[in-house]
Amino acid sequence: MSFQFAVFQDKTGISESAAYRFIALFHQTKGLFRVALAGGSTPTLLYTLLAEPRCRDSVDWTRIHLFFGDERAVAPDALDSNYRTAHETLLSKVPLPAENIHRLRGESADLDSEASRYEAEIRTLFRGETVPSFNLVLLGMGADGHCASLFPHKASLSVHNRLVTPAEPGLHPFVPRLTFTYPLLNMAKQTLFLVSGADKAETLVQVLEGEPRPLDLPAQAVQPIHGKVTWLLDKSAARQLSR
Ligand code: 6PG
């Protein structure tokens, strides 16, 4: 598995590095900068940093489009909503045009139709690229080795004919999900995993240094065809790595 990683003292170090990389990648990108946000709790400090004036004012938000790599089947104002988290920490604090925020409608009564709608929305912005290639995909990793809402041994791992799919949950919150599929994730130009905490250490060493077993450890199968994967880790999460 080819990847780069960087280890920081704590989540603050991870988040500052991720914010710097976000801004650097933006300035290296001509035209639209299209990003898929991660859910969960780890990225919230990154989102908060991006909304601070020194970061906020260093990019042109009219060129940035934000998508969601996954979402829970809850209302956008529900505590478990990835959109709600991003809205509170970032989206409501930066001059991002409303049309540049691409929300996955977790509240939809028909998740299969919403997955298709969202795929069409992605394809529209990527002007018909056969498989859209995000400039940046942000991901976290669960202690079970999942990423986005691709959980071990779930059917969503085998969906290769769609870019977005409904998914069964594997961890709290146990609500149905919507998620990017591997074909979309693996077309990204740059993928950043943000992983923090001792509870991830055992899984992380298996994902990065163990035998390939992506059905057990879905994060292992995030291997973009042309892009780079960089793992931003804190010392607690990285403590079992051999290098
Ligand atoms: C979600 C996330 C999920 C998350 C991991 C890690 O919707 O839950 O997309 O994949 O990134 O579960 O979550 P933490 O960062 O909270 O540990």
Side-chain angles (χ1 to χ4, degrees), residues 15 25 28 33 41-42 79-80 88 121-122 124-125 151 153 158 162 169 180 210 217 232 235 238:
S15 307
L25 279 169
Q28 292 162 18
F33 184 59
S41 59
T42 302
L79 283 175
D80 281 337
E88 287 180 345
E121 183 168 340
I122 292 170
T124 300
L125 193 78
F151 289 93
H153 302 286
S158 311
R162 300 177 79 172
F180 279 18
L217 301 167
L232 304 181
K235 283 170 57 177

Side-chain angles (χ1 to χ4, degrees), residues 66-77:
L66 299 182
F67 291 78
F68 290 80
D70 74 324
E71 186 55 279
R72 292 84 178 269
V74 296
D77 60 354

Side-chain angles (χ1 to χ4, degrees), residues 43-242:
T44 54
L45 180 52
L46 162 61
Y47 300 158
T48 302
L49 291 177
L50 288 175
E52 288 182 355
R54 62 194 173 100
C55 292
R56 181 197 63 204
D57 300 342
S58 66
V59 296
D60 173 2
W61 291 92
T62 64
R63 279 209 293 127
I64 297 175
H65 283 256
L66 299 182
F67 291 78
F68 290 80
D70 74 324
E71 186 55 279
R72 292 84 178 269
V74 296
D77 60 354
L79 283 175
D80 281 337
S81 165
N82 288 334
Y83 171 80
R84 173 181 167 144
T85 301
H87 183 263
E88 287 180 345
T89 53
L90 177 62
L91 305 182
S92 60
K93 299 178 187 304
V94 295
L96 196 63
E99 64 271 20
N100 290 26
I101 300 171
H102 303 270
R103 187 173 71 82
L104 244 177
R105 302 170 187 167
E107 73 279 16
S108 172
D110 180 345
L111 294 180
D112 195 73
S113 298
E114 173 55 16
S116 299
R117 186 203 65 78
Y118 202 62
E119 173 164 341
E121 183 168 340
I122 292 170
R123 288 187 181 282
T124 300
L125 193 78
F126 284 76
R127 294 188 181 84
E129 285 175 33
T130 307
V131 181
S133 177
F134 276 81
N135 300 98
L136 174 61
V137 169
L138 298 171
L139 289 171
M141 187 194 76
D144 62 349
H146 85 264
C147 59
S149 282
L150 297 169
F151 289 93
H153 302 286
K154 299 297 185 185
S156 54
L157 302 184
S158 311
V159 175
H160 295 286
N161 62 342
R162 300 177 79 172
L163 303 183
V164 183
T165 187
E168 285 177 80
L171 276 184
H172 171 80
F174 286 95
V175 294
R177 310 288 189 94
L178 285 157
T179 187
F180 279 18
T181 59
Y182 285 125
L184 184 54
L185 290 173
N186 284 331
M187 278 303 288
K189 292 178 176 62
Q190 172 67 59
T191 301
L192 290 181
F193 275 94
L194 283 65
V195 183
S196 166
D199 63 318
K200 310 274 177 83
E202 174 56 37
T203 301
L204 188 69
V205 71
Q206 292 176 48
V207 167
L208 296 183
E209 298 183 359
E211 288 304 307
R213 43 194 189 91
L215 290 177
D216 298 322
L217 301 167
Q220 271 187 333
V222 175
Q223 298 199 32
I225 302 162
H226 305 297
K228 283 188 353 181
V229 180
T230 304
W231 292 74
L232 304 181
L233 313 169
D234 68 9
K235 283 170 57 177
S236 300
R239 64 184 180 181
Q240 295 188 30
L241 296 183
S242 60

